[in-house]
mmCIF file of all heavy atoms in Angstrom:
data_model
loop_
_atom_site.group_PDB
_atom_site.id
_atom_site.type_symbol
_atom_site.label_atom_id
_atom_site.label_comp_id
_atom_site.label_asym_id
_atom_site.label_seq_id
_atom_site.Cartn_x
_atom_site.Cartn_y
_atom_site.Cartn_z
ATOM 1 N N THR A 108 4.972 -83.218 -9.156
ATOM 2 C CA THR A 108 5.450 -82.179 -10.071
ATOM 3 C C THR A 108 6.825 -82.509 -10.687
ATOM 4 O O THR A 108 7.095 -82.256 -11.836
ATOM 5 C CB THR A 108 5.555 -80.816 -9.372
ATOM 6 O OG1 THR A 108 6.417 -80.906 -8.261
ATOM 7 C CG2 THR A 108 4.180 -80.362 -8.910
ATOM 8 N N ILE A 109 7.661 -83.101 -9.884
ATOM 9 C CA ILE A 109 8.989 -83.546 -10.399
ATOM 10 C C ILE A 109 8.859 -84.672 -11.367
ATOM 11 O O ILE A 109 9.533 -84.708 -12.422
ATOM 12 C CB ILE A 109 9.902 -83.979 -9.224
ATOM 13 C CG1 ILE A 109 10.236 -82.733 -8.334
ATOM 14 C CG2 ILE A 109 11.175 -84.602 -9.721
ATOM 15 C CD1 ILE A 109 11.160 -83.038 -7.149
ATOM 16 N N ASP A 110 7.999 -85.618 -11.149
ATOM 17 C CA ASP A 110 7.754 -86.719 -12.106
ATOM 18 C C ASP A 110 7.236 -86.202 -13.437
ATOM 19 O O ASP A 110 7.665 -86.627 -14.493
ATOM 20 C CB ASP A 110 6.780 -87.696 -11.501
ATOM 21 C CG ASP A 110 7.291 -88.401 -10.245
ATOM 22 O OD1 ASP A 110 8.582 -88.482 -10.130
ATOM 23 O OD2 ASP A 110 6.500 -88.833 -9.436
ATOM 24 N N SER A 111 6.332 -85.249 -13.391
ATOM 25 C CA SER A 111 5.747 -84.640 -14.614
ATOM 26 C C SER A 111 6.812 -83.926 -15.389
ATOM 27 O O SER A 111 6.842 -83.965 -16.601
ATOM 28 C CB SER A 111 4.616 -83.745 -14.252
ATOM 29 O OG SER A 111 3.512 -84.391 -13.632
ATOM 30 N N LEU A 112 7.697 -83.245 -14.679
ATOM 31 C CA LEU A 112 8.780 -82.468 -15.387
ATOM 32 C C LEU A 112 9.718 -83.472 -16.057
ATOM 33 O O LEU A 112 10.097 -83.224 -17.214
ATOM 34 C CB LEU A 112 9.516 -81.694 -14.328
ATOM 35 C CG LEU A 112 10.768 -80.928 -14.884
ATOM 36 C CD1 LEU A 112 10.357 -79.925 -15.949
ATOM 37 C CD2 LEU A 112 11.469 -80.161 -13.788
ATOM 38 N N LYS A 113 10.066 -84.539 -15.368
ATOM 39 C CA LYS A 113 10.979 -85.516 -16.020
ATOM 40 C C LYS A 113 10.357 -86.075 -17.329
ATOM 41 O O LYS A 113 11.051 -86.273 -18.304
ATOM 42 C CB LYS A 113 11.289 -86.596 -15.050
ATOM 43 C CG LYS A 113 12.166 -86.182 -13.861
ATOM 44 C CD LYS A 113 12.439 -87.363 -12.918
ATOM 45 C CE LYS A 113 13.292 -86.916 -11.768
ATOM 46 N NZ LYS A 113 13.559 -88.056 -10.803
ATOM 47 N N LYS A 114 9.094 -86.354 -17.270
ATOM 48 C CA LYS A 114 8.389 -86.899 -18.408
ATOM 49 C C LYS A 114 8.380 -85.882 -19.553
ATOM 50 O O LYS A 114 8.593 -86.213 -20.735
ATOM 51 C CB LYS A 114 6.982 -87.299 -18.046
ATOM 52 C CG LYS A 114 6.179 -87.925 -19.202
ATOM 53 C CD LYS A 114 4.784 -88.322 -18.749
ATOM 54 C CE LYS A 114 4.018 -88.970 -19.882
ATOM 55 N NZ LYS A 114 2.614 -89.330 -19.411
ATOM 56 N N ALA A 115 8.117 -84.611 -19.278
ATOM 57 C CA ALA A 115 8.054 -83.586 -20.264
ATOM 58 C C ALA A 115 9.402 -83.336 -20.951
ATOM 59 O O ALA A 115 9.463 -82.924 -22.089
ATOM 60 C CB ALA A 115 7.502 -82.295 -19.675
ATOM 61 N N MET A 116 10.471 -83.577 -20.186
ATOM 62 C CA MET A 116 11.788 -83.345 -20.712
ATOM 63 C C MET A 116 12.267 -84.461 -21.648
ATOM 64 O O MET A 116 13.344 -84.321 -22.279
ATOM 65 C CB MET A 116 12.816 -83.199 -19.569
ATOM 66 C CG MET A 116 12.549 -81.977 -18.680
ATOM 67 S SD MET A 116 13.698 -81.859 -17.279
ATOM 68 C CE MET A 116 15.276 -81.599 -18.142
ATOM 69 N N LEU A 117 11.522 -85.504 -21.778
ATOM 70 C CA LEU A 117 11.915 -86.646 -22.616
ATOM 71 C C LEU A 117 11.230 -86.678 -23.987
ATOM 72 O O LEU A 117 11.363 -87.633 -24.696
ATOM 73 C CB LEU A 117 11.637 -87.960 -21.863
ATOM 74 C CG LEU A 117 12.376 -88.175 -20.557
ATOM 75 C CD1 LEU A 117 11.934 -89.477 -19.874
ATOM 76 C CD2 LEU A 117 13.911 -88.232 -20.807
ATOM 77 N N ALA A 118 10.510 -85.601 -24.300
ATOM 78 C CA ALA A 118 9.739 -85.567 -25.531
ATOM 79 C C ALA A 118 10.656 -85.696 -26.773
ATOM 80 O O ALA A 118 10.408 -86.377 -27.747
ATOM 81 C CB ALA A 118 8.898 -84.314 -25.618
ATOM 82 N N GLY A 119 11.773 -84.969 -26.760
ATOM 83 C CA GLY A 119 12.711 -85.014 -27.857
ATOM 84 C C GLY A 119 12.249 -84.215 -29.081
ATOM 85 O O GLY A 119 11.141 -83.667 -29.127
ATOM 86 N N ASN A 120 13.125 -84.177 -30.089
ATOM 87 C CA ASN A 120 12.846 -83.443 -31.330
ATOM 88 C C ASN A 120 12.401 -84.354 -32.432
ATOM 89 O O ASN A 120 12.769 -85.543 -32.448
ATOM 90 C CB ASN A 120 14.035 -82.646 -31.785
ATOM 91 C CG ASN A 120 14.336 -81.421 -30.877
ATOM 92 O OD1 ASN A 120 13.429 -80.732 -30.481
ATOM 93 N ND2 ASN A 120 15.598 -81.236 -30.561
ATOM 94 N N PRO A 121 11.640 -83.873 -33.426
ATOM 95 C CA PRO A 121 11.177 -84.732 -34.523
ATOM 96 C C PRO A 121 12.308 -85.116 -35.488
ATOM 97 O O PRO A 121 13.348 -84.469 -35.486
ATOM 98 C CB PRO A 121 10.154 -83.877 -35.186
ATOM 99 C CG PRO A 121 10.584 -82.488 -34.988
ATOM 100 C CD PRO A 121 11.162 -82.511 -33.581
ATOM 101 N N ALA A 122 12.057 -86.145 -36.335
ATOM 102 C CA ALA A 122 13.055 -86.498 -37.332
ATOM 103 C C ALA A 122 13.175 -85.424 -38.384
ATOM 104 O O ALA A 122 12.219 -84.706 -38.712
ATOM 105 C CB ALA A 122 12.653 -87.835 -37.933
ATOM 106 N N ALA A 123 14.313 -85.381 -39.004
ATOM 107 C CA ALA A 123 14.560 -84.363 -40.024
ATOM 108 C C ALA A 123 13.724 -84.658 -41.285
ATOM 109 O O ALA A 123 13.510 -85.795 -41.635
ATOM 110 C CB ALA A 123 16.052 -84.337 -40.408
ATOM 111 N N MET A 124 13.230 -83.587 -41.922
ATOM 112 C CA MET A 124 12.425 -83.672 -43.141
ATOM 113 C C MET A 124 12.977 -82.760 -44.179
ATOM 114 O O MET A 124 13.548 -81.744 -43.887
ATOM 115 C CB MET A 124 10.956 -83.343 -42.819
ATOM 116 C CG MET A 124 10.273 -84.254 -41.878
ATOM 117 S SD MET A 124 8.496 -83.809 -41.677
ATOM 118 C CE MET A 124 8.046 -84.958 -40.428
ATOM 119 N N LYS A 125 12.803 -83.254 -45.503
ATOM 120 C CA LYS A 125 13.270 -82.415 -46.603
ATOM 121 C C LYS A 125 12.197 -82.388 -47.678
ATOM 122 O O LYS A 125 11.464 -83.339 -47.914
ATOM 123 C CB LYS A 125 14.545 -82.986 -47.198
ATOM 124 C CG LYS A 125 15.764 -82.947 -46.229
ATOM 125 C CD LYS A 125 17.013 -83.502 -46.967
ATOM 126 C CE LYS A 125 18.231 -83.384 -46.037
ATOM 127 N NZ LYS A 125 19.430 -83.924 -46.710
#
Side-chain angles (χ1 to χ4, degrees):
T108 58
I109 293 182
D110 295 336
S111 298
L112 175 61
K113 290 180 179 179
K114 182 178 180 181
M116 294 177 68
L117 298 176
N120 288 318
M124 297 183 184
K125 293 182 179 180

